[in-house]
Amino acid sequence: MVLGWPEVVLGKMAARRGLSCILDRLLQGAENVPSRVPLKKHNFLQNKHMIWFQSSGAHTGIQQSNENPLVSVSEASDTLYKRLAVLVKGHDRIVLDSYEYFMMLAAKELGISVEKVEEPPRKIERFTLLKSVHIFKKHRVQYEMRTHFRYLELKHLTGSTANVYLEYIQRNLPEGVAMEVKKTRLEKLPEHIQTPVWDTLPPVEETASKS
C-alpha cells in the first residue's frame, strides 16, 4: 500500500503532537521535584527517580577517607643500590643521542646523581656474499651492520627510586633500541663474620714436653 502526500503529512503531524504530549507530561513530573535537587538542563528525558538516586548520596552520613589507597606503607627497610648501570644499543645514532638526553633529564628530575656518561666504541659486523653463484664468482657484495652504544651510570639509589626510574625510561624506549641494566646492591655484613674469628675459638692448652 502506497500512501499519498496528504497521508504522509497527516502522519507527521500526529507524531509531532504525540511527542509534544509526552514531553509536557515529563516536564510536569519534573516540576514536582523539590527545588534543592539540581536538574540537568541538557538531559532529554528527565526522570525524577534517577535524579533522586544521583543526589541521595550527598545526604548520607558516610564519611569518606581522604587517604590514597594506592600508597602502601611498609615497615620493611628499602633496598640500597651502590651503582645502577644502564647500557642502551641501537643502529641509529641520532635516536640514541635523543634517548640519552631523555635519560639524563629524567634522572635530574628525580634527583639522582649521575656518575658517568660514556659512548663505548661502536661494533661493526660485515657480511660478504656472492653476487652470482654459477658465473662471475669474483663478483661479491659486502654488507655491514653498525651498532652504537650509550652507557649511563647512576650511584646511591634506593630500591623504590630505581624501580620508578627504570619503569619510566623503559616505557619510553624507542623502537629498535635494546637496554641492559646492571644493579650493584649493598648488603648487610653477615652476623657470623661481624665478630673476629679468633675471639670465638676455644683456648689452646699448651703441653710441655719432658725430655
Side-chain angles (χ1 to χ4, degrees):
M1 180 177 180
V2 180
L3 298 178
W5 180 76
E7 289 81 359
V8 175
V9 174
L10 292 176
K12 289 184 178 180
M13 294 176 63
R16 290 179 181 176
R17 288 178 183 176
L19 183 61
S20 62
C21 293
I22 293 174
L23 291 176
D24 292 338
R25 291 182 180 179
L26 290 175
L27 292 176
Q28 289 177 3
E31 290 177 356
N32 297 329
V33 181
S35 60
R36 62 181 180 179
V37 180
L39 298 178
K40 294 185 177 180
K41 297 181 180 179
H42 303 286
N43 195 359
F44 181 72
L45 297 177
Q46 295 181 351
N47 193 349
K48 59 182 180 180
H49 299 290
M50 294 178 63
I51 295 174
W52 175 83
F53 178 76
Q54 293 177 0
S55 61
S56 61
H59 300 285
T60 56
I62 301 175
Q63 297 181 358
Q64 298 180 357
S65 61
N66 297 326
E67 298 180 357
N68 190 359
L70 299 178
V71 178
S72 59
V73 180
S74 177
E75 297 180 356
S77 58
D78 200 355
T79 309
L80 299 178
Y81 292 103
K82 180 181 180 181
R83 187 178 295 105
L84 181 67
V86 181
L87 178 67
V88 291
K89 55 184 178 180
H91 302 295
D92 196 346
R93 186 174 182 178
I94 299 177
V95 174
L96 287 180
D97 290 338
S98 176
Y99 190 65
E100 178 187 351
Y101 175 74
F102 169 75
M103 291 192 297
M104 293 284 295
L105 188 62
K108 182 179 178 182
E109 291 295 330
L110 291 176
I112 304 175
S113 58
V114 181
E115 184 177 4
K116 189 185 299 182
V117 180
E118 292 181 351
E119 182 179 353
R122 63 185 180 183
K123 181 181 179 182
I124 301 177
E125 297 180 4
R126 291 185 176 90
F127 304 94
T128 305
L129 302 177
L130 288 173
K131 183 67 175 179
S132 177
V133 181
H134 303 288
I135 59 175
F136 305 111
K137 294 183 179 180
K138 292 185 179 181
H139 189 189
R140 301 172 186 269
V141 180
Q142 193 174 51
Y143 300 94
E144 72 176 17
M145 183 172 57
R146 300 184 179 183
T147 305
H148 303 274
F149 300 90
R150 294 293 183 275
Y151 179 77
L152 182 66
E153 188 172 318
L154 311 173
K155 63 177 182 179
H156 303 158
L157 287 88
T158 59
S160 57
T161 306
N163 294 335
V164 170
Y165 177 74
L166 290 177
E167 183 180 359
Y168 182 60
I169 63 175
Q170 286 174 358
R171 285 188 177 183
N172 295 274
L173 190 67
E175 295 183 358
V177 177
M179 178 183 293
E180 181 181 350
V181 180
K182 292 183 179 180
K183 300 178 181 178
T184 305
R185 186 172 60 182
L186 293 175
E187 292 287 349
K188 187 179 179 181
L189 193 65
E191 296 181 357
H192 65 278
I193 61 174
Q194 286 183 1
T195 57
V197 181
W198 50 83
D199 292 345
T200 59
L201 294 176
V204 179
E205 296 180 359
E206 295 181 357
T207 57
S209 59
K210 297 181 179 179
S211 57

